Amino acid sequence: MLAKRFTVRPTSELDCPHIGPLMRKVWLATYREIHTKKELLAQSHRMHQPVLLLAELSDPQICSFVAEVNGKVVGHARADLRANGTVYVVRLYLEHKFHGNGIGGALLAALENHFSDTKQVQLDVYEKNETALRFYLAKGYRIVGRNTKFQSKDEDVFELKVLKTLGASE
């Protein structure tokens, strides 16, 4: 355990240049068995640009949080409020060396509690991302579906849909 003290707070404009490199680092470590490095870097450079992250901050249907340890951003999470009232977790990334310190759980709780009257929280997780799947199941999520949208390294990549109903035996 590396982090005894951490802070979870809303993402600010000053955080945006630090989030892209954090997510690239986490992606490369987490998804190396699922995607090629070239695929990961191309997708990350396209999706995690500071200008795009900055634009998210002004959207009232999006909530975004960072986790800091000793003033350094070590985690990031984002969720969207969907039209049906469900909160969809778009991303939750934490440097691997900080796993097991409660930081991921604190980021997830911030997302779950951000929008008032939220009844359900949903997300997709790669089936092969066993660490993340165990984390979400331990936090009260349940698997509600499985599908594949693409192939990588010449095999199907499956995503699991997981859902948590808030207020139900929390």
Side-chain angles (χ1 to χ4, degrees):
M1 292 219 174
L2 290 173
K4 293 188 178 171
R5 294 182 146 194
F6 63 89
T7 303
V8 171
R9 61 172 175 74
T11 303
S12 77
E13 292 178 20
L14 296 175
D15 298 317
C16 292
H18 305 285
I19 293 171
L22 165 73
M23 289 194 290
R24 270 187 288 289
K25 180 179 182 179
V26 173
W27 273 31
L28 288 172
T30 302
Y31 302 127
R32 66 182 176 273
E33 300 299 320
I34 300 169
H35 296 287
T36 66
K37 183 176 182 178
K38 183 178 178 180
E39 289 171 334
L40 289 169
L41 289 173
Q43 189 172 3
S44 179
H45 284 294
R46 191 173 57 252
M47 295 174 57
H48 303 145
Q49 297 174 33
V51 67
L52 298 176
L53 297 166
L54 186 60
E56 295 173 0
L57 298 180
S58 62
D59 187 333
Q61 303 299 96
I62 294 175
C63 66
S64 178
F65 293 90
V66 294
E68 285 183 322
V69 173
N70 297 325
K72 179 185 178 215
V73 174
V74 300
H76 171 69
R78 172 192 159 187
D80 298 352
L81 180 61
R82 300 285 166 96
N84 65 1
T86 297
V87 170
Y88 182 80
V89 177
V90 175
R91 55 183 168 300
L92 195 162
Y93 296 113
L94 178 64
E95 282 190 48
H96 285 92
K97 68 183 178 182
F98 293 103
H99 285 194
N101 289 282
I103 300 171
L107 282 165
L108 184 60
L111 297 177
E112 291 174 349
N113 296 315
H114 179 77
F115 297 106
S116 60
D117 300 323
T118 298
K119 302 289 186 244
Q120 291 187 324
V121 180
Q122 182 179 359
L123 59 99
D124 298 321
V125 61
Y126 287 133
E127 185 175 59
K128 288 186 176 182
N129 189 349
E130 295 172 3
T131 301
L133 183 57
R134 278 193 307 273
F135 169 77
Y136 292 118
L137 294 175
K139 297 296 181 190
Y141 287 76
R142 60 188 167 82
I143 299 169
V144 295
R146 179 179 187 252
N147 64 31
T148 183
K149 294 182 183 174
F150 59 92
Q151 288 192 326
S152 181
K153 297 186 177 182
D154 295 324
E155 63 181 53
D156 287 337
V157 176
F158 288 93
E159 286 184 326
L160 298 174
K161 296 213 171 288
V162 297
L163 179 76
K164 181 177 182 179
T165 301
L166 300 180
S169 67
E170 282 191 85

